[in-house]
Amino acid sequence: GLVDGQGKYLFPGLVDVHVHLREPGFEDKEDIASGSRAAVRGGFTSIMAMANTSPVVDHRALAEFVLRQGQRAGKARVYTAAAVTKGLRGEELVEMMDLKEGGVSAFSDDGKGIQSAEMMRLALEYAKLTGLPVVAHCEDESLAAGGAIRKSETSARLGFKGIPAGSESVMVVRDVILAGETGGKLHIAHVSTKESVEAIRTGKARGLDITAEVNPYHLIFTCEDVTLTDTSYKVNPPLPSKEDQEALWQGILDGTIDMLATDHAPHTREEKARPFGEAPFGINGLETALAAVWQAFVAKGILSVEKLIELWSLNPARRFGWEAGTLKPGHPADMVLFDPERREVIDPAGMESRSVNTPYLGREMRGLPEMTWVAGKLVMKDRRVI
Ligand code: NCD
Ligand code: ZN
Ligand code: ZN
């Protein structure tokens, strides 16, 4: 039937290259069906699952299982990254060619960053033969160990061992250098520091095959917003300083940062109810991220609608070789009808995700997707998944 779109936007479906769907192994947090339902409710029509499941997605049969589960769920298009190394242990590369034939879209060390420079170098070299990017988590564990939030005045005041910005930046610098030496395709996940942005900018100026994403929550919150009573502010990499946040904006505006990605990281209430220092890292993203960016930036004229679509649909689809997300003549459309005025209180009862670890819980958000189509099929209507 006809849809009244008066006062609303028709977007190409949003593309989120960084989600944790937790299946197999952690289905109490999320599974592929619930995660892909959360995606279309949040306006995302294509998502890429990370490999830090149990077992790890490090062989073809399991990658094919993930893709099959995504198809069975029949909501968002579910793509998957494979692990870079077996078991994410950082010791032995996966069978990259076989995994590519199994349909994976990238190789990633997300959740357990590769520590050895030699292993990252090999990963870039071999991934290059498959044509797929390496998605790098970029965390030096020797610097980050024991920290819960960004090393800052806040971490000192709260009595935490802080995570220094350098634990990320040194790895980004390393990986940019290795991308240069190998000619490999590199995508940097969840960039959160000034020095990381600078390294990526330099690498791009040298013509290297590098892209980068920013987690929207790193643009909205800083380490100063962290309160010990709300562990949903605990995320990896940790919320940045104001200065880092400004550098992320610069990176977005000058094209150094190519895309936004939610890093949807669901965790159970029980896990997030632990004391701040012991709760797991991660923010639930899929159902709140678009509204969060809309109300914080687009509604205020800080980010244009065109740039939003570039960052969250066109650029990610292009980087990972997916047609979906873009509106192309002759292609079954992935679309979102977005209502900039629609308001909703974020309520666990209405959420499709199995987890509710978001700082927006109980808060009203403004600007929400109203209908979502995947491959021409209506999958979400009036805030409810069909
Ligand atoms: C992610 C997770 O929970 O798997 N957590 C997070 O804080 N981002 C892991 C990751 O993205 O590194
Ligand atoms: Zn990560
Ligand atoms: Zn992640």
Side-chain angles (χ1 to χ4, degrees):
L2 284 177
V3 173
D4 183 4
Q6 190 88 40
K8 297 168 191 171
Y9 292 91
L10 190 61
F11 293 159
L14 300 189
V15 175
D16 191 355
V17 304
H18 191 154
V19 302
H20 296 272
L21 299 181
R22 308 301 193 201
E23 183 182 347
F26 305 106
E27 291 86 351
D28 49 338
K29 300 173 194 261
E30 195 78 286
D31 65 20
I32 292 166
S34 64
S36 67
R37 292 171 70 89
V40 296
R41 186 159 182 270
F44 297 95
T45 54
S46 294
I47 51 179
M48 180 160 73
M50 293 295 118
N52 62 338
T53 49
S54 179
V56 165
V57 181
D58 61 3
H59 58 282
R60 182 169 174 171
L62 194 50
E64 287 171 342
F65 167 80
V66 169
L67 296 173
R68 220 167 33 240
Q69 290 292 82
Q71 274 165 4
R72 273 185 51 191
K75 298 294 178 282
R77 298 177 197 256
V78 175
Y79 297 93
T80 193
V84 176
T85 61
K86 294 188 181 160
L88 284 173
R89 285 185 296 273
E91 291 160 6
E92 195 185 343
L93 288 183
V94 294
E95 302 290 337
M96 288 184 169
M97 214 41 109
D98 198 37
L99 279 154
K100 183 195 170 153
E101 283 163 18
V104 309
S105 298
F107 300 99
S108 179
D109 64 347
D110 194 57
K112 184 83 182 77
I114 290 181
Q115 299 300 296
S116 148
E118 170 63 3
M119 187 53 70
M120 182 52 89
R121 188 193 164 94
L122 279 173
L124 285 162
E125 240 168 51
Y126 280 90
K128 189 180 165 191
L129 303 175
T130 68
L132 300 179
V134 170
V135 175
H137 164 86
C138 293
E139 177 186 7
D140 181 308
E141 286 171 3
S142 67
L143 291 174
I149 64 172
R150 172 74 70 225
K151 189 171 169 56
S152 57
E153 278 172 22
T154 312
S155 68
R157 178 166 51 78
L158 299 176
F160 277 121
K161 179 178 176 293
I163 301 174
S167 68
E168 170 185 312
S169 320
V170 295
M171 297 308 244
V172 173
V173 169
R174 175 196 81 175
D175 292 355
V176 168
I177 290 169
L178 295 174
E181 289 190 353
T182 59
K185 250 188 193 178
L186 175 65
H187 175 77
I188 315 264
H190 45 50
V191 173
S192 78
T193 77
K194 185 178 169 198
E195 290 80 8
S196 298
V197 175
E198 284 166 3
I200 295 160
R201 186 178 287 124
T202 307
K204 285 188 166 187
R206 286 172 54 202
L208 307 185
D209 194 351
I210 302 173
T211 51
E213 74 188 35
V214 162
N215 176 337
Y217 302 108
H218 289 110
L219 297 172
I220 295 170
F221 303 114
T222 69
C223 55
E224 288 157 32
D225 294 312
V226 174
T227 61
L228 293 187
T229 49
D230 189 352
T231 57
S232 62
Y233 288 105
K234 184 172 175 181
V235 60
N236 227 335
L239 295 172
S241 67
K242 193 77 205 151
E243 194 189 345
D244 284 330
Q245 193 176 69
E246 274 157 25
L248 297 178
W249 267 114
Q250 269 313 309
I252 285 177
L253 296 177
D254 74 9
T256 301
I257 303 297
D258 302 88
M259 62 194 81
L260 296 174
T262 64
D263 191 5
H264 175 73
H267 292 292
T268 64
R269 282 177 188 271
E270 292 71 29
E271 293 166 306
K272 280 292 197 179
R274 292 178 197 152
F276 201 97
E278 288 141 48
F281 291 91
I283 300 179
N284 190 304
L286 284 169
E287 284 166 272
T288 49
L290 176 57
V293 168
W294 189 272
Q295 65 185 27
F297 307 119
V298 187
K300 293 180 182 162
I302 297 167
L303 188 70
S304 71
V305 177
E306 290 75 13
K307 184 75 179 177
L308 176 80
I309 296 304
E310 218 176 89
L311 289 167
W312 235 341
S313 182
L314 308 182
N315 290 350
R318 193 174 304 132
R319 178 52 160 172
F320 291 91
W322 308 326
E323 296 274 342
T326 55
L327 283 176
K328 277 193 181 172
H331 275 272
D334 293 354
M335 300 185 298
V336 175
L337 187 71
F338 181 84
D339 183 351
E341 297 306 328
R342 186 160 184 141
R343 291 160 192 269
E344 185 177 292
V345 176
I346 303 304
D347 169 13
M351 282 174 73
E352 291 288 349
S353 174
R354 290 227 172 118
S355 299
V356 295
N357 50 308
T358 160
Y360 293 99
L361 208 61
R363 290 207 224 168
E364 188 183 69
M365 302 196 92
R366 181 179 141 195
L368 290 150
E370 206 168 80
M371 296 172 92
T372 304
W373 293 263
V374 176
K377 187 177 154 219
L378 186 64
V379 289
M380 190 274 284
K381 187 178 180 208
D382 204 24
R383 310 288 307 126
R384 276 167 215 259
V385 176
I386 296 167

